[in-house]
Amino acid sequence: MDTTWNIGAVARRAGLSAHVLRVWERRYRAVRPVRTDGNQRLYAEEDVERLRLMARLCQGGHRIGSIARLPVAELRALAVGTPGKVGSVGADGGIGGLLARCRAAVEEADGPCLARVLESARVFVPPSRLLPEVVLPLMRWIGERWKAGSIRILHEHVATVVVRALLDRIASEFPLSDSAPCVVLATPPGEWHELGCLA
């Protein structure tokens, strides 16, 4: 069965308020959730992606009325083609280009830039790929560069703060049910790098 989300979870994941989500749904028909027998809205993963793209595009200056009914492929293309707004995550080499921009930000110790690149990436890369294909390879690269002496501990600390905040935001978007199993993760004694566990 496909994963579905209630309105609160979808609003958090898309970076919207529940009120705005309802307005976009009612007035603009931006998404069409299914309804349970109790009349509760349930949204599919595709709805989350649509809403996230539209939220980013609106932040970049687009009007919701002009983009609400566009297909997801057109929303993605519009996001890629909006210079200086959503960011061109997919425009210059996909995951490879994204990693290159992350590495450049780390080399400059530019935490805000790294945060913007990773946040923009969330529009195009689902969490199931963002972590294993972007975040973890980036942190491995940082470790290798630090060991080789080509970057300093400052660079690693800047990246760790940004990535930790990203992981916290991603985790907060996935509400746990009361029946979810309890899992305990820990690092070995003396190990201060917990990003692998968090990921």
Short mmCIF file of all heavy atoms in Angstrom, two decimals, residues 157-189:
data_model
loop_
_atom_site.label_atom_id
_atom_site.label_comp_id
_atom_site.label_asym_id
_atom_site.label_seq_id
_atom_site.Cartn_x
_atom_site.Cartn_y
_atom_site.Cartn_z
N HIS A 157 33.46 21.31 10.65
CA HIS A 157 32.48 21.78 11.64
C HIS A 157 31.34 22.55 10.97
O HIS A 157 30.18 22.38 11.34
CB HIS A 157 33.17 22.65 12.69
CG HIS A 157 33.96 21.85 13.67
ND1 HIS A 157 34.73 22.44 14.66
CD2 HIS A 157 34.12 20.52 13.85
CE1 HIS A 157 35.32 21.49 15.39
NE2 HIS A 157 34.97 20.33 14.89
N VAL A 158 31.67 23.40 10.02
CA VAL A 158 30.64 24.15 9.30
C VAL A 158 29.67 23.20 8.62
O VAL A 158 28.44 23.32 8.73
CB VAL A 158 31.28 25.11 8.27
CG1 VAL A 158 30.23 25.66 7.30
CG2 VAL A 158 31.99 26.25 8.97
N ALA A 159 30.21 22.21 7.91
CA ALA A 159 29.36 21.25 7.20
C ALA A 159 28.53 20.42 8.17
O ALA A 159 27.35 20.15 7.91
CB ALA A 159 30.22 20.34 6.32
N THR A 160 29.11 20.02 9.28
CA THR A 160 28.39 19.20 10.25
C THR A 160 27.19 19.93 10.81
O THR A 160 26.11 19.36 10.95
CB THR A 160 29.34 18.75 11.38
OG1 THR A 160 30.36 17.92 10.81
CG2 THR A 160 28.60 17.96 12.45
N VAL A 161 27.36 21.21 11.13
CA VAL A 161 26.24 21.99 11.66
C VAL A 161 25.10 22.06 10.65
O VAL A 161 23.92 21.86 10.98
CB VAL A 161 26.71 23.41 12.05
CG1 VAL A 161 25.54 24.34 12.32
CG2 VAL A 161 27.62 23.35 13.26
N VAL A 162 25.43 22.31 9.38
CA VAL A 162 24.42 22.41 8.33
C VAL A 162 23.73 21.07 8.11
O VAL A 162 22.49 20.99 8.03
CB VAL A 162 25.05 22.91 7.01
CG1 VAL A 162 24.07 22.81 5.86
CG2 VAL A 162 25.53 24.34 7.17
N VAL A 163 24.51 20.01 8.01
CA VAL A 163 23.93 18.68 7.75
C VAL A 163 23.10 18.22 8.93
O VAL A 163 22.02 17.63 8.76
CB VAL A 163 25.04 17.67 7.39
CG1 VAL A 163 24.50 16.25 7.36
CG2 VAL A 163 25.65 18.03 6.03
N ARG A 164 23.56 18.48 10.14
CA ARG A 164 22.78 18.10 11.33
C ARG A 164 21.41 18.77 11.31
O ARG A 164 20.39 18.16 11.60
CB ARG A 164 23.57 18.47 12.59
CG ARG A 164 22.81 18.27 13.89
CD ARG A 164 22.66 16.79 14.18
NE ARG A 164 21.71 16.53 15.23
CZ ARG A 164 22.01 16.24 16.48
NH1 ARG A 164 23.27 16.15 16.85
NH2 ARG A 164 21.08 15.98 17.35
N ALA A 165 21.37 20.06 10.98
CA ALA A 165 20.10 20.78 10.92
C ALA A 165 19.20 20.20 9.83
O ALA A 165 17.99 20.06 10.02
CB ALA A 165 20.36 22.27 10.67
N LEU A 166 19.79 19.84 8.69
CA LEU A 166 19.02 19.23 7.61
C LEU A 166 18.41 17.91 8.07
O LEU A 166 17.22 17.64 7.83
CB LEU A 166 19.92 19.00 6.40
CG LEU A 166 19.30 18.21 5.24
CD1 LEU A 166 18.32 19.09 4.48
CD2 LEU A 166 20.38 17.69 4.30
N LEU A 167 19.21 17.05 8.72
CA LEU A 167 18.71 15.77 9.19
C LEU A 167 17.59 15.95 10.21
O LEU A 167 16.61 15.20 10.21
CB LEU A 167 19.84 14.94 9.78
CG LEU A 167 20.92 14.48 8.78
CD1 LEU A 167 22.04 13.76 9.51
CD2 LEU A 167 20.33 13.61 7.69
N ASP A 168 17.72 16.94 11.07
CA ASP A 168 16.66 17.23 12.05
C ASP A 168 15.37 17.62 11.34
O ASP A 168 14.28 17.17 11.73
CB ASP A 168 17.09 18.34 13.01
CG ASP A 168 18.13 17.89 14.01
OD1 ASP A 168 18.33 16.66 14.17
OD2 ASP A 168 18.76 18.76 14.65
N ARG A 169 15.47 18.45 10.29
CA ARG A 169 14.26 18.86 9.56
C ARG A 169 13.62 17.67 8.86
O ARG A 169 12.40 17.50 8.88
CB ARG A 169 14.59 19.96 8.54
CG ARG A 169 14.79 21.32 9.17
CD ARG A 169 14.78 22.42 8.13
NE ARG A 169 15.80 22.27 7.11
CZ ARG A 169 17.07 22.63 7.26
NH1 ARG A 169 17.49 23.14 8.40
NH2 ARG A 169 17.92 22.49 6.28
N ILE A 170 14.43 16.83 8.23
CA ILE A 170 13.88 15.66 7.54
C ILE A 170 13.18 14.74 8.53
O ILE A 170 12.07 14.27 8.30
CB ILE A 170 14.99 14.91 6.77
CG1 ILE A 170 15.47 15.75 5.59
CG2 ILE A 170 14.48 13.55 6.29
CD1 ILE A 170 16.67 15.18 4.87
N ALA A 171 13.82 14.49 9.68
CA ALA A 171 13.23 13.61 10.68
C ALA A 171 11.91 14.15 11.19
O ALA A 171 10.97 13.39 11.44
CB ALA A 171 14.21 13.40 11.84
N SER A 172 11.81 15.47 11.34
CA SER A 172 10.58 16.06 11.88
C SER A 172 9.41 15.94 10.92
O SER A 172 8.26 16.10 11.31
CB SER A 172 10.81 17.53 12.24
OG SER A 172 10.93 18.32 11.06
N GLU A 173 9.69 15.65 9.64
CA GLU A 173 8.63 15.55 8.65
C GLU A 173 7.96 14.18 8.63
O GLU A 173 6.97 13.99 7.95
CB GLU A 173 9.19 15.84 7.25
CG GLU A 173 9.66 17.27 7.09
CD GLU A 173 10.36 17.49 5.77
OE1 GLU A 173 10.63 16.51 5.06
OE2 GLU A 173 10.64 18.66 5.46
N PHE A 174 8.51 13.24 9.36
CA PHE A 174 7.96 11.89 9.36
C PHE A 174 7.43 11.56 10.74
O PHE A 174 8.15 11.04 11.58
CB PHE A 174 9.04 10.89 8.94
CG PHE A 174 9.45 11.03 7.51
CD1 PHE A 174 10.51 11.86 7.16
CD2 PHE A 174 8.75 10.40 6.50
CE1 PHE A 174 10.88 12.03 5.84
CE2 PHE A 174 9.11 10.55 5.18
CZ PHE A 174 10.17 11.37 4.84
N PRO A 175 6.15 11.87 11.00
CA PRO A 175 5.60 11.61 12.33
C PRO A 175 5.54 10.12 12.62
O PRO A 175 5.29 9.30 11.73
CB PRO A 175 4.19 12.21 12.25
CG PRO A 175 3.87 12.27 10.79
CD PRO A 175 5.17 12.42 10.07
N LEU A 176 5.81 9.76 13.87
CA LEU A 176 5.77 8.36 14.28
C LEU A 176 4.43 8.03 14.90
O LEU A 176 3.87 8.83 15.63
CB LEU A 176 6.89 8.09 15.29
CG LEU A 176 8.31 8.24 14.78
CD1 LEU A 176 9.30 8.02 15.92
CD2 LEU A 176 8.59 7.28 13.65
N SER A 177 3.95 6.84 14.63
CA SER A 177 2.72 6.39 15.28
C SER A 177 3.08 5.80 16.64
O SER A 177 4.23 5.43 16.91
CB SER A 177 2.02 5.34 14.42
OG SER A 177 2.77 4.14 14.42
N ASP A 178 2.08 5.70 17.49
CA ASP A 178 2.29 5.13 18.82
C ASP A 178 2.71 3.67 18.75
O ASP A 178 3.32 3.15 19.67
CB ASP A 178 1.03 5.26 19.67
CG ASP A 178 0.73 6.72 20.01
OD1 ASP A 178 1.68 7.53 19.99
OD2 ASP A 178 -0.44 7.03 20.28
N SER A 179 2.38 3.02 17.64
CA SER A 179 2.71 1.59 17.51
C SER A 179 4.05 1.35 16.82
O SER A 179 4.43 0.21 16.59
CB SER A 179 1.61 0.87 16.73
OG SER A 179 1.50 1.44 15.43
N ALA A 180 4.77 2.43 16.50
CA ALA A 180 6.07 2.28 15.83
C ALA A 180 7.05 1.58 16.77
O ALA A 180 7.04 1.80 17.98
CB ALA A 180 6.62 3.63 15.43
N PRO A 181 7.90 0.70 16.23
CA PRO A 181 8.88 0.02 17.09
C PRO A 181 9.92 1.00 17.61
O PRO A 181 10.19 2.03 17.00
CB PRO A 181 9.53 -1.01 16.15
CG PRO A 181 9.30 -0.46 14.78
CD PRO A 181 8.01 0.30 14.82
N CYS A 182 10.49 0.69 18.75
CA CYS A 182 11.53 1.52 19.35
C CYS A 182 12.89 0.97 18.95
O CYS A 182 13.16 -0.22 19.11
CB CYS A 182 11.38 1.51 20.87
SG CYS A 182 12.60 2.53 21.70
N VAL A 183 13.74 1.82 18.40
CA VAL A 183 15.07 1.41 17.98
C VAL A 183 16.08 2.34 18.65
O VAL A 183 15.89 3.56 18.66
CB VAL A 183 15.22 1.49 16.44
CG1 VAL A 183 16.63 1.13 16.02
CG2 VAL A 183 14.21 0.59 15.75
N VAL A 184 17.13 1.78 19.21
CA VAL A 184 18.16 2.58 19.85
C VAL A 184 19.43 2.49 19.01
O VAL A 184 19.88 1.39 18.67
CB VAL A 184 18.45 2.08 21.29
CG1 VAL A 184 19.60 2.89 21.91
CG2 VAL A 184 17.20 2.17 22.16
N LEU A 185 19.98 3.66 18.64
CA LEU A 185 21.22 3.72 17.89
C LEU A 185 22.25 4.45 18.74
O LEU A 185 21.91 5.39 19.46
CB LEU A 185 21.03 4.47 16.57
CG LEU A 185 20.02 3.88 15.59
CD1 LEU A 185 19.83 4.83 14.41
CD2 LEU A 185 20.47 2.53 15.10
N ALA A 186 23.49 4.01 18.67
CA ALA A 186 24.54 4.66 19.46
C ALA A 186 25.86 4.59 18.70
O ALA A 186 26.03 3.77 17.81
CB ALA A 186 24.68 3.97 20.81
N THR A 187 26.76 5.48 19.06
CA THR A 187 28.11 5.44 18.50
C THR A 187 29.02 4.77 19.52
O THR A 187 28.70 4.72 20.72
CB THR A 187 28.62 6.87 18.21
OG1 THR A 187 28.63 7.61 19.44
CG2 THR A 187 27.74 7.57 17.20
N PRO A 188 30.17 4.24 19.10
CA PRO A 188 31.11 3.63 20.05
C PRO A 188 31.63 4.67 21.04
O PRO A 188 31.60 5.87 20.75
CB PRO A 188 32.25 3.11 19.15
CG PRO A 188 31.68 3.06 17.78
CD PRO A 188 30.62 4.12 17.71
N PRO A 189 32.10 4.24 22.19
CA PRO A 189 32.65 5.19 23.17
C PRO A 189 33.75 6.05 22.55
O PRO A 189 34.61 5.55 21.82
CB PRO A 189 33.23 4.28 24.26
CG PRO A 189 32.48 3.00 24.13
CD PRO A 189 32.16 2.85 22.67
#
